Amino acid sequence: MRFYLTTAIDYVNSRPHLGQAYEKVSADVIARYKRGCGVDTYFLMGNDEHSQNVYKKAREAGLDPLAYCAEMEHVFRERWAELTVSFDDFIRTTEPRHRAAVQKLAQRSYEAGDIYEGTYEGWYCVSCEAFRQEKDLVDGKCPFHPTLTPEWIREKNYFFRLSKYRDRLLAHFEANPGFLQPDVRRNEILRLLEAGLDDISMSRAGQAWGIPLPFAPENVVYVWFDALINYASAVGYGTDDARFAQWWPADLHIIGKDITRFHTVVWPAMLWSAGVEPPRQVFGHGWINYGGQRMSKTLGTSVDPADLVAKFGPDPARLYLTKEIAFGNDGDFTWERYEERYNADLANNLGNLVSRVTAMVHKYRGGTAKPAGSGGALATVVSGAAARYHGAMGRLALHEGIAAAFDIVTAANGFVAEQAPWALAKDPQAADRLDAVLFEVSEAVRAAATLLLPVMPTAAAELLRRLGDATPAAEVRLDRDGGWRNSGPRTLRTGSAMWPRTDLAAAEAPAIVTTKNETTVDETTPAPKALVENTAPKAPAEDTVAPTPAERIVIDDFMKVELRAAKILAAEAVPKSKKLIRLSVDVGEAEPRTIVAGIAEGYQPADLPGRMIAIVANLKPAKLMGIESNGMVLAASPEGGAPILVSVDERVAPGTRVR
Ligand SMILES: [Zn+2]
């Protein structure tokens, strides 16, 4: 048996956000589950690089687009490694294997008569990189980008004859009720198909960044048409027929609910047109909100997945994302809720149980638990929970599967309280009973830890080690080892608390600002009297030749300048200014500061929130274009080039002194 699983590939014009982390972690839990059941699994992830936004971003940073994409690949891989995401392959759409596949598919489709020349005139959302019909717009704006005005474009394009496939798509949905899940997404697409399909543009004219059409090389393949093909190119389409035959069709595409149309309407039609089978299943997951609000960098309601990992490590982050959010629905995150679940599930429930059982086995039985009899109440609990777990995982109800594993933990804690091993230990007549109780509890935790391996790979492996299960993690079979086992004896190991309880009140959550804090200083706020005019922060003087050594200063002079790390919370262009951007930055103080920085030639405001920069914190306030600036950002100012911000490693807390 084989299982080919993919996630959406990500645009690399911004750093990985929590929604993307959620998708990757969920898919990883599925991949690990399949592997753990002995299924030959291929798990693909990757980056979508032929986006005009990526190209623009690279140019703004003064980088060759390929070099920029390579740098971003590093950023994405680092984040996925931190979250222990175990993909087997990571594709970049600029790779030769992908180009070969795109050109082959486009050529096949062209030869099949499904691609023709025409003129596209209509709306285009640059941020989605998607053509939008009038009826798709909400108040004239893209529904996913309500702050952006879509562009009206008119250009010569090649069109893909999507309309031709409507009836076949309807029949396919009819014959394969599981093709798109959950059902709410399936119903949306069915309504769309019933309303009829238009042909779509599959090329862009006059652009340098992209894969040339094999039959009209002055055009590049439209980024969405290009991107979808990654799922086929990664397993050999166009480069390795035997490999492609082995892995295609894909068993499951995990994607966000906003891109189901591309994956279940456009993609199957593209494949049919080229004589290739469609994928077997597409699952559209929901979105994560922050405290009930849409996550948005500009609103200050975004959460960096790196902060989640920094707080408790990767496993609690993975557990929250997959257990607290019903897979397929939208979910919510707050730091309070994250901490609450950490304390409840890990510190109090599972962590406490493993500490108690290992400590008791050591105290009463010298560290060894021996099987006694055929297992009692907990054996029944484990069998029932394991069956529910496999049932849920099989239908991608990850949250239910993980909850079933935790049911074992809860029952085992109840069993310990009820059996009171500490009382049994005082009664010499109860020695056999104590043996049985200790074995049952340790066996129940072992089974639960086994079932938790896909979601908490590192911690579950450590739990198994403590419980005396010597099976290497790669050899654990969830279908076999996740059930009750009477084999033993086992030697348990004690260790420090795996998840120390955190105090909700005293705990320090990474800074999150609300829109309210963000605008502490605005045009309507009267400026303080002591304002110093005309001491505007200036970009450092441009050196046209090698700098002449300036007069040396002593350390005390330098220490007068208070440099601090700061996190950009929000940014907006200063009206009527070509150079200035108004920043709201976290410098570790009670309120964010406003700093006006002359960096607009190098940066778009939307790209700034979340960046860690260095600022001069003790500069006297200055008024720029009517805005009071409290500090100055540090930026390199190359001659004739745009300023480049001095960046600080994101592990540094805002407010940390730089010296
Ligand atoms: Zn959009």
Side-chain angles (χ1 to χ4, degrees):
M1 254 225 293
R2 60 96 171 148
F3 191 80
Y4 176 30
L5 166 73
T6 72
T7 64
I9 53 174
D10 299 309
Y11 285 144
V12 294
N13 52 326
S14 57
R15 305 168 70 80
H17 59 68
L18 191 62
Q20 291 163 329
Y22 170 56
E23 175 176 295
K24 284 15 175 199
V25 165
S26 301
D28 188 54
V29 170
I30 297 168
R32 287 178 185 269
Y33 173 75
K34 291 287 178 186
R35 289 189 203 113
C37 291
V39 178
D40 190 10
T41 301
Y42 198 69
F43 175 23
L44 171 73
M45 289 180 17
N47 283 347
D48 189 353
E49 301 184 334
H50 285 137
S51 149
Q52 290 306 311
N53 291 321
V54 170
Y55 183 78
K56 226 166 67 190
K57 189 72 189 254
R59 284 286 180 243
E60 278 166 19
L63 285 171
D64 167 67
L66 262 183
Y68 170 82
C69 290
E71 239 175 62
M72 290 307 283
E73 179 194 14
H74 180 72
V75 171
F76 276 75
R77 279 181 179 266
E78 198 172 52
R79 190 64 71 248
W80 306 146
E82 262 176 26
L83 281 160
T84 61
V85 174
S86 63
F87 52 81
D88 298 295
D89 189 358
F90 194 90
I91 193 165
R92 293 176 49 185
T93 54
T94 49
E95 288 177 55
R97 59 171 170 166
H98 180 67
R99 171 187 280 249
V102 170
Q103 293 199 322
K104 176 175 172 177
L105 196 140
Q107 185 66 35
R108 283 277 173 91
S109 183
Y110 183 66
E111 284 162 10
D114 284 343
I115 291 176
Y116 62 91
E117 212 174 348
T119 301
Y120 177 82
E121 181 162 12
W123 298 108
Y124 189 79
C125 174
V126 180
S127 204
C128 290
E129 300 233 19
F131 300 92
R132 295 259 172 249
Q133 291 182 309
E134 193 77 43
K135 64 176 164 62
D136 298 333
L137 302 181
V138 178
D139 298 328
K141 305 284 170 72
C142 163
F144 304 111
H145 297 97
T147 57
L148 281 179
T149 306
E151 285 177 9
W152 182 264
I153 63 172
R154 183 187 156 84
E155 64 182 38
K156 238 192 186 162
N157 279 173
Y158 282 85
F159 282 74
F160 174 66
R161 224 178 277 285
L162 184 63
S163 57
K164 172 176 153 186
Y165 292 95
R166 175 188 174 250
D167 292 348
R168 190 164 175 186
L169 282 162
L170 275 167
H172 187 74
F173 270 82
E174 185 71 31
N176 301 279
F179 176 58
L180 171 58
Q181 284 294 307
D183 280 336
V184 55
R185 304 280 88 88
R186 172 184 155 83
N187 294 336
E188 283 168 3
I189 296 296
L190 280 174
R191 280 197 298 272
L192 189 135
L193 287 172
E194 279 152 13
L197 288 179
D198 294 326
D199 293 346
I200 56 165
S201 283
M202 59 76 65
S203 73
R204 296 297 311 272
Q207 285 174 359
W209 184 235
I211 298 175
L213 279 183
F215 46 85
E218 65 284 6
N219 299 275
V220 298
V221 178
Y222 166 51
V223 67
W224 265 102
F225 200 91
D226 165 334
L228 288 162
I229 299 170
N230 91 87
Y231 306 128
S233 48
V235 290
Y237 183 73
T239 52
D240 185 342
D241 293 345
R243 190 151 172 271
F244 187 63
Q246 183 197 346
W247 287 105
W248 197 262
D251 292 274
L252 180 60
H253 293 322
I254 298 286
I255 54 159
K257 65 178 183 181
D258 53 326
I259 54 176
T260 52
R261 189 182 76 92
F262 283 115
H263 283 80
T264 64
V265 176
V266 178
W267 179 223
M270 284 166 62
L271 288 165
W272 280 326
S273 169
V276 179
E277 265 186 82
R280 292 188 175 131
Q281 188 174 37
V282 176
F283 189 96
H285 64 75
W287 289 345
I288 305 184
N289 295 318
Y290 180 79
Q293 272 187 294
R294 188 170 69 91
M295 269 199 200
S296 145
K297 278 190 183 173
T298 37
L299 293 179
T301 51
S302 79
V303 173
D304 188 333
D307 289 341
L308 228 63
V309 174
K311 191 154 177 73
F312 298 127
D315 288 321
R318 294 169 59 100
L319 181 67
Y320 185 97
L321 293 175
T322 50
K323 179 170 178 280
E324 296 312 309
I325 301 167
F327 198 46
N329 293 358
D330 286 350
D332 199 46
F333 178 88
T334 62
W335 289 102
E336 294 72 25
R337 177 94 182 127
Y338 184 35
E339 195 148 338
E340 202 180 287
R341 292 319 308 167
Y342 168 88
N343 278 329
D345 286 334
L346 296 174
N348 295 348
N349 204 4
L350 182 55
N352 189 33
L353 181 64
V354 73
S355 298
R356 282 169 99 187
V357 68
T358 51
M360 287 190 298
V361 169
H362 273 265
K363 188 167 174 193
Y364 305 134
R365 292 293 181 262
T368 303
K370 289 186 304 221
S374 58
L378 285 183
T380 314
V381 168
V382 168
S383 310
R388 288 203 307 287
Y389 170 89
H390 288 295
M393 298 301 271
R395 60 190 156 82
L396 303 179
L398 309 183
H399 54 293
E400 287 179 30
I402 298 159
F406 270 91
D407 288 347
I408 300 174
V409 180
T410 305
N413 263 319
F415 183 74
V416 170
E418 174 197 303
Q419 298 293 323
W422 46 91
L424 295 174
K426 288 183 188 140
D427 178 2
Q429 304 290 320
D432 288 350
R433 182 72 203 137
L434 179 60
D435 276 335
V437 167
L438 292 177
F439 181 83
E440 276 208 36
V441 177
S442 59
E443 172 56 13
V445 192
R446 189 203 57 77
T450 302
L451 299 179
L452 289 172
L453 273 168
V455 61
M456 301 198 297
T458 315
E462 169 62 10
L463 285 171
L464 290 174
R465 193 190 68 83
R466 291 190 184 196
L467 292 158
D469 188 337
T471 318
E475 286 167 29
V476 172
R477 283 288 301 265
L478 299 173
D479 39 358
R480 175 193 66 206
D481 303 322
W484 191 263
R485 273 198 330 218
N486 262 327
S487 57
R490 309 133 194 211
T491 303
L492 276 61
R493 292 180 180 84
T494 53
S496 54
M498 290 180 65
W499 299 287
R501 206 188 141 76
T502 69
D503 181 357
L504 283 170
E508 194 190 322
I512 282 286
V513 283
T514 64
T515 9
K516 240 186 283 165
N517 292 349
E518 217 176 36
T519 50
T520 42
V521 179
D522 63 17
E523 270 81 3
T524 59
T525 309
K529 287 248 161 56
L531 218 75
V532 182
E533 297 277 359
N534 298 325
T535 53
K538 277 191 298 238
E542 287 176 1
D543 294 315
T544 49
V545 290
T548 44
E551 190 192 340
R552 302 287 182 111
I553 59 168
V554 294
I555 185 81
D556 292 357
D557 288 336
F558 169 71
M559 292 304 281
K560 283 182 201 156
V561 181
E562 198 185 307
L563 298 177
R564 293 195 182 272
K567 185 171 190 170
I568 301 180
L569 303 172
E572 56 178 317
V574 172
K576 293 180 194 137
S577 168
K578 277 198 192 112
K579 289 195 172 174
L580 297 180
I581 291 183
R582 169 222 202 100
L583 303 172
S584 171
V585 300
D586 178 1
V587 198
E589 299 161 335
E591 298 268 46
R593 284 193 190 202
T594 296
I595 295 181
V596 179
I599 55 171
E601 286 169 326
Y603 296 89
Q604 294 292 325
D607 299 329
L608 290 166
R611 272 179 191 259
M612 287 294 303
I613 55 168
I615 67 157
V616 180
N618 62 338
L619 201 68
K620 286 183 183 170
K623 210 171 180 187
L624 288 161
M625 302 286 285
I627 306 164
E628 189 194 350
S629 180
N630 259 295
M632 173 182 137
V633 305
L634 298 188
S637 304
E639 189 197 341
I644 298 163
L645 285 165
V646 170
S647 58
V648 172
D649 192 301
E650 59 190 42
R651 286 170 301 188
V652 176
T656 305
R657 182 99 192 240
V658 177
R659 54 189 169 205

Short mmCIF file of all heavy atoms in Angstrom, two decimals, residues 125-129 132 142-145 148, ligand 1:
data_model
loop_
_atom_site.label_atom_id
_atom_site.label_comp_id
_atom_site.label_asym_id
_atom_site.label_seq_id
_atom_site.Cartn_x
_atom_site.Cartn_y
_atom_site.Cartn_z
N CYS A 125 -6.69 40.23 -8.92
CA CYS A 125 -6.17 40.55 -7.58
C CYS A 125 -4.71 40.17 -7.55
O CYS A 125 -4.36 39.01 -7.68
CB CYS A 125 -6.93 39.82 -6.47
SG CYS A 125 -6.14 40.11 -4.85
N VAL A 126 -3.88 41.20 -7.39
CA VAL A 126 -2.44 40.97 -7.43
C VAL A 126 -2.00 40.12 -6.25
O VAL A 126 -1.09 39.29 -6.36
CB VAL A 126 -1.69 42.33 -7.44
CG1 VAL A 126 -0.20 42.12 -7.49
CG2 VAL A 126 -2.14 43.16 -8.63
N SER A 127 -2.64 40.30 -5.12
CA SER A 127 -2.21 39.57 -3.93
C SER A 127 -2.55 38.08 -4.04
O SER A 127 -1.75 37.23 -3.69
CB SER A 127 -2.84 40.18 -2.69
OG SER A 127 -2.05 39.87 -1.57
N CYS A 128 -3.75 37.76 -4.55
CA CYS A 128 -4.13 36.36 -4.79
C CYS A 128 -3.46 35.84 -6.05
O CYS A 128 -3.42 34.65 -6.27
CB CYS A 128 -5.63 36.21 -5.02
SG CYS A 128 -6.65 36.45 -3.59
N GLU A 129 -3.02 36.74 -6.92
CA GLU A 129 -2.60 36.41 -8.27
C GLU A 129 -3.72 35.64 -8.96
O GLU A 129 -3.51 34.59 -9.57
CB GLU A 129 -1.31 35.60 -8.26
CG GLU A 129 -0.19 36.39 -7.60
CD GLU A 129 1.06 36.51 -8.43
OE1 GLU A 129 0.98 36.30 -9.65
OE2 GLU A 129 2.09 36.84 -7.86
N ARG A 132 -10.39 37.77 -11.20
CA ARG A 132 -11.63 37.81 -10.42
C ARG A 132 -12.76 38.33 -11.29
O ARG A 132 -12.60 39.35 -11.96
CB ARG A 132 -11.47 38.73 -9.20
CG ARG A 132 -10.46 38.24 -8.21
CD ARG A 132 -11.15 37.57 -7.04
NE ARG A 132 -10.18 36.93 -6.16
CZ ARG A 132 -10.05 35.61 -6.03
NH1 ARG A 132 -10.85 34.80 -6.69
NH2 ARG A 132 -9.15 35.10 -5.22
N CYS A 142 -11.45 42.32 -3.74
CA CYS A 142 -11.27 40.87 -3.62
C CYS A 142 -11.74 40.46 -2.22
O CYS A 142 -11.38 41.09 -1.24
CB CYS A 142 -9.79 40.53 -3.79
SG CYS A 142 -9.35 38.90 -3.20
N PRO A 143 -12.55 39.39 -2.11
CA PRO A 143 -13.05 39.01 -0.80
C PRO A 143 -11.94 38.64 0.19
O PRO A 143 -12.13 38.72 1.40
CB PRO A 143 -13.95 37.80 -1.08
CG PRO A 143 -13.64 37.35 -2.47
CD PRO A 143 -13.09 38.54 -3.19
N PHE A 144 -10.77 38.25 -0.31
CA PHE A 144 -9.67 37.86 0.58
C PHE A 144 -8.74 39.03 0.87
O PHE A 144 -7.89 38.96 1.74
CB PHE A 144 -8.88 36.69 0.00
CG PHE A 144 -9.76 35.50 -0.29
CD1 PHE A 144 -10.03 35.11 -1.59
CD2 PHE A 144 -10.36 34.80 0.76
CE1 PHE A 144 -10.86 34.02 -1.84
CE2 PHE A 144 -11.18 33.73 0.51
CZ PHE A 144 -11.44 33.33 -0.79
N HIS A 145 -8.88 40.10 0.10
CA HIS A 145 -8.01 41.27 0.28
C HIS A 145 -8.84 42.54 0.28
O HIS A 145 -8.77 43.35 -0.65
CB HIS A 145 -6.92 41.31 -0.80
CG HIS A 145 -6.02 40.12 -0.71
ND1 HIS A 145 -6.18 39.01 -1.48
CD2 HIS A 145 -4.98 39.85 0.12
CE1 HIS A 145 -5.27 38.11 -1.15
NE2 HIS A 145 -4.54 38.59 -0.18
N LEU A 148 -7.27 45.95 -0.60
CA LEU A 148 -6.59 46.19 -1.88
C LEU A 148 -7.61 46.44 -2.99
O LEU A 148 -8.66 45.82 -3.01
CB LEU A 148 -5.79 44.97 -2.29
CG LEU A 148 -4.44 44.75 -1.62
CD1 LEU A 148 -3.82 43.47 -2.14
CD2 LEU A 148 -3.52 45.92 -1.88
ZN ZN B 1 -7.10 38.69 -3.34
#
